């Protein structure tokens, strides 16, 4: 696979102050840099994962950029050649842009819907341990990348050849009702990218996975205390088996905050159609029409009546967070820090 993982994400906002509070106090990210027009956040040992730009005109419409990591310089050149062979215009980013992204080198291009994509190698790691904005166990990243991103699209079929054939994303599964959605993997994370056919071309959500379920529950309590913060209630997905809820961001798209995502073997995985709907339970989607919400609810109740159950997905040692599972947590415990 030419792409290894989702490496970083660029956000537009009308208010840096709103994102500063949302990113650190609610999500638990570490705010590392702030200028007059931008913010940068850490979520692990990388120097930055999320970059927020102030933009009064285009706030929330699309991601400022989505950064996909490759193994090295040769892989980046191979990807650039494949894109150009497929008729995609590729730009080698200037040194100043690579420095802003904290990477050694990157290329920039667009998908057929005009979404800004980047591919890079050589991400900078930080010299200091990750310090979360609130007490959390940490984010599950590493070789799996920072999470996954999902796009609203006008037509899945118009973008499918680009993402599957040109970029080399591999289909994990898909659903055709109550809405059409296709999910793709580039590593053992069940999906790092997905498209939902909603008639729009915008960002649907960015997913962040936590090491501990209590991190998600405590964030849900925070969200319940803010009017309009919850976009989708707590629930569990049928495909990646994630327990999560969705929060409205200051930019208008959602962040999925979850735990217990499924890992797959990309070499042997066979995609299927999900006929039982997107969630085993919960996940009442406030963004759907009343008719759509009723249809999703019927699918959930049918799954319950059929006795559909799935095993809980945990990383090894998650019950006690064994040493070596999360480097930041190990260092915090060694120093005597406790979330209690």
């Amino acid at each position: 696979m030419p792409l290894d993982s989702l490496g970083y994400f660029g956000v537009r906002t009308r208010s840096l102050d709103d994102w500063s509070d949302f990113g650190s106090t609610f999500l638990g990210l570490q705010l590392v840099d702030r200028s007059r027009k931008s913010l940068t956040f850490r979520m692990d040992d990388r120097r930055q994962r999320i970059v927020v730009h102030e933009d009064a005109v285009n706030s929330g419409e699309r991601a400022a950029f989505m950064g996909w990591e490759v193994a090295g310089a040769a892989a980046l050149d191979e990807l650039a050649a494949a894109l150009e062979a497929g008729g995609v215009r590729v730009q080698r980013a200037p040194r100043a842009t690579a420095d802003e992204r904290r990477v050694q080198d990157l290329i920039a291009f667009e998908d057929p819907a005009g979404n800004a994509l980047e591919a890079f190698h050589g991400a900078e790691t930080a010299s200091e341990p990750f310090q979360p904005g609130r007490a959390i166990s940490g984010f599950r990243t590493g070789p799996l990348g920072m999470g996954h991103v999902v796009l609203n699209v006008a037509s899945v079929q118009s973008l499918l050849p680009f993402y599957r054939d040109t970029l080399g994303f591999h289909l994990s599964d898909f659903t055709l009702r109550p809405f059409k959605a296709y999910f793709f993997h580039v590593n053992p994370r069940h999906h790092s990218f997905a498209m939902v056919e909603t008639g729009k071309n915008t960002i649907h959500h960015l997913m962040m996975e936590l090491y501990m379920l209590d991190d998600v529950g405590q964030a849900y309590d925070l969200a319940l205390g803010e009017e309009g913060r919850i976009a989708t209630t707590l629930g569990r997905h049928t495909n990646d088996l994630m327990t999560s809820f969705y929060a409205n961001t200051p930019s208008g798209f959602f962040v999925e905050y979850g735990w217990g995502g499924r890992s797959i073997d990309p070499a042997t995985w066979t995609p299927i159609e999900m006929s039982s709907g997107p969630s085993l339970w919960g996940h009442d989607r406030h963004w759907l029409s009343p008719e759509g919400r009723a249809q999703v609810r019927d699918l959930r109740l049918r799954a319950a009546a059929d006795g559909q159950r799935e095993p809980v997905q945990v990383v090894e040692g998650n019950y006690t967070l064994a040493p070596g599972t999360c480097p930041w947590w190990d260092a915090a415990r060694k120093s005597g820090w406790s979330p209690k």
Side-chain angles (χ1 to χ4, degrees), residues 115-322:
N115 292 297
L117 306 178
E118 297 176 357
F120 71 93
H121 76 90
E124 181 182 340
T125 57
S127 58
E128 299 295 327
F130 170 62
Q131 297 290 332
R134 64 177 179 86
I136 57 172
S137 61
F139 296 96
R140 189 182 181 202
T141 58
L144 300 177
M146 65 176 291
H148 70 234
V149 62
V150 178
L151 301 181
N152 290 305
V153 300
S155 168
V156 168
Q157 293 304 319
S158 66
L159 292 174
L160 192 57
F162 174 81
Y163 282 101
R164 182 191 59 199
D165 304 331
T166 305
L167 277 187
F169 284 22
H170 293 262
L171 183 65
S172 297
D173 47 43
F174 64 96
T175 183
L176 300 178
R177 37 181 212 118
F179 43 77
K180 185 183 292 186
Y182 280 65
F183 301 83
F184 302 86
H185 61 270
V186 294
N187 59 49
R189 192 185 290 280
H190 175 272
H191 60 277
S192 294
F193 175 75
M195 296 182 284
V196 181
E197 191 169 281
T198 60
K200 301 182 292 184
N201 285 306
T202 60
I203 292 295
H204 186 278
H205 74 264
L206 175 69
M207 188 282 295
M208 302 176 183
E209 184 177 0
L210 285 296
Y211 272 115
M212 302 295 281
L213 178 59
D214 287 340
D215 293 329
V216 177
Q218 289 164 359
Y220 196 61
D221 277 346
L222 291 174
L224 288 170
E226 297 184 54
E227 183 69 29
R229 180 62 72 197
I230 294 176
T232 300
T233 61
L234 190 69
R236 192 168 185 230
H237 284 302
T238 52
N239 60 351
D240 69 353
L241 308 181
M242 185 85 70
T243 299
S244 65
F245 72 96
Y246 293 63
N248 287 303
T249 72
S251 297
F253 64 90
F254 312 138
V255 164
E256 181 183 6
Y257 208 71
W259 171 85
R262 165 190 271 173
S263 293
I264 65 171
D265 181 352
T268 61
W269 184 260
T270 301
I272 61 170
E273 178 183 351
M274 298 182 297
S275 58
S276 58
S279 300
L280 287 164
W281 53 267
H283 283 157
D284 189 22
R285 293 159 172 82
H286 299 327
W287 52 273
L288 282 175
S289 67
E291 295 78 13
R293 290 175 69 181
Q295 188 176 2
V296 174
R297 177 176 172 80
D298 287 344
L299 288 169
R300 293 198 307 265
L301 293 177
R302 187 181 308 166
D306 291 342
Q308 185 175 351
R309 304 289 187 271
E310 298 291 348
V312 174
Q313 308 294 303
V314 294
V315 294
E316 185 177 354
N318 190 252
Y319 298 104
T320 59
L321 208 62

